[in-house]
Amino acid sequence: MNAHGSRLWLAKAAVPIPLFLRYGFNPGSTLLLHASANTAARATVTTTLAAASGGVLGLFIKYYLPAKLGGSHVYDIGHTCNSLLGGLVGITAGCATVRPWAALIIGFVAAWVYHAASCLMRKLKIDDPLDAFAVHGACGVWGMIAVGLFTAKEYSYSAKIPDAGIFMEGTRGELFGNQIVGVLMILLWVVIMSILLFGALRMAGIFRVPVEDEESGLDISKHGGSAYASDVDAPNHKVATASTSSSIA
């Protein structure tokens, strides 16, 4: 069954869902509340602070930055919600190992990381309408690096001698190095798998939607309505017909 049209307010009303679920994922990962109550409580606090700081800063980034740096001089609800999600992603790796003040910094930086990555994707003309890479990819990388920066030694996990982040007391730098290696290995894996998957789809001729659908927009061609009222009134607006069947390799 096709959903007839989509609405920005409805999409953003769903943001509390991943926010709520993150409380099950981050604090819930302790698995044993009776033995790990302090860890679960700390993860809850840091998760909340990072999400809040990311969302608030994201609201003002979009409003106050000049247009050449991706600003719009409007309070953009979509940008704000994605900045909040970026804060959630950024804190996930270190939610149990950083202090509350560090969680605020991680959320603040995540908002900037999200904004920069989102602008970069548009600059490169890479189609990512949900900003999935900016939120989950870029902010995820930042979150892994943040573990190596802000982990408190007393909260650190290690099979040998616990280490702290390089901005914290008692650091040996090993944790930061391990996090960088982890980021590089994950990026290598993702690049290789993406080349194989997308290359196969391209060879099969199903990598892209038909050109008519691209021109009209997938909200129109696939869901029967526009997400934005301005799309309908645009002078070059086109509506794809049901007979569209061509594709681009």
Side-chain angles (χ1 to χ4, degrees):
M1 180 179 69
N2 290 331
H4 295 289
S6 59
R7 292 294 179 265
L8 182 61
W9 71 267
L10 188 59
K12 299 314 173 185
V15 169
I17 296 176
L19 176 60
F20 176 77
L21 293 177
R22 192 69 61 164
Y23 287 113
F25 183 64
N26 287 1
S29 294
T30 58
L31 299 181
L32 297 173
L33 184 59
H34 69 278
S36 306
N38 289 338
T39 302
R42 182 168 57 253
T44 302
V45 171
T46 56
T47 298
T48 303
L49 291 175
S53 62
V56 170
L57 183 61
L59 177 69
F60 294 108
I61 285 176
K62 195 68 173 178
Y63 186 88
Y64 285 106
L65 280 184
K68 64 180 180 180
L69 295 179
S72 62
H73 297 297
V74 297
Y75 293 113
D76 190 320
I77 184 63
H79 190 276
T80 301
C81 290
N82 281 342
S83 297
L84 183 152
L85 294 177
L88 282 178
V89 172
I91 194 59
T92 296
C95 63
T97 65
V98 302
R99 297 193 175 108
W101 63 263
L104 286 171
I105 295 175
I106 291 171
F108 272 116
V109 175
W112 286 107
V113 170
Y114 159 71
H115 180 76
S118 178
C119 291
L120 177 63
M121 296 295 280
R122 290 195 297 272
K123 183 73 173 179
L124 297 177
K125 297 184 178 180
I126 297 176
D127 187 21
D128 187 8
L130 296 181
D131 270 339
F133 168 76
V135 172
H136 297 280
C139 291
V141 169
W142 158 240
M144 290 188 65
I145 294 174
V147 170
L149 300 177
F150 298 109
T151 289
K153 192 169 185 177
E154 62 268 30
Y155 303 148
S156 181
Y157 296 88
S158 175
K160 298 180 180 179
I161 302 175
D163 191 19
I166 60 174
F167 291 160
M168 308 299 290
E169 183 179 356
T171 182
R172 301 190 308 276
E174 294 179 5
L175 178 60
F176 179 74
N178 291 340
Q179 293 302 112
I180 295 298
V181 171
V183 168
L184 294 177
M185 291 299 101
I186 291 173
L187 291 177
L188 180 62
W189 170 264
V190 170
V191 168
I192 292 175
M193 291 297 103
S194 296
I195 290 174
L196 293 176
L197 174 61
F198 297 139
L201 293 175
R202 183 182 178 88
M203 292 177 63
I206 56 175
F207 186 52
R208 296 179 65 174
V209 298
V211 64
E212 292 87 351
D213 288 0
E214 285 188 345
E215 292 178 349
S216 65
L218 295 185
D219 286 309
I220 296 292
S221 61
K222 298 300 182 183
H223 302 298
S226 173
Y228 306 94
S230 59
D231 290 345
V232 178
D233 300 329
N236 295 325
H237 181 74
K238 300 178 181 180
V239 178
T241 63
S243 61
T244 299
S245 60
S246 62
S247 62
I248 301 176

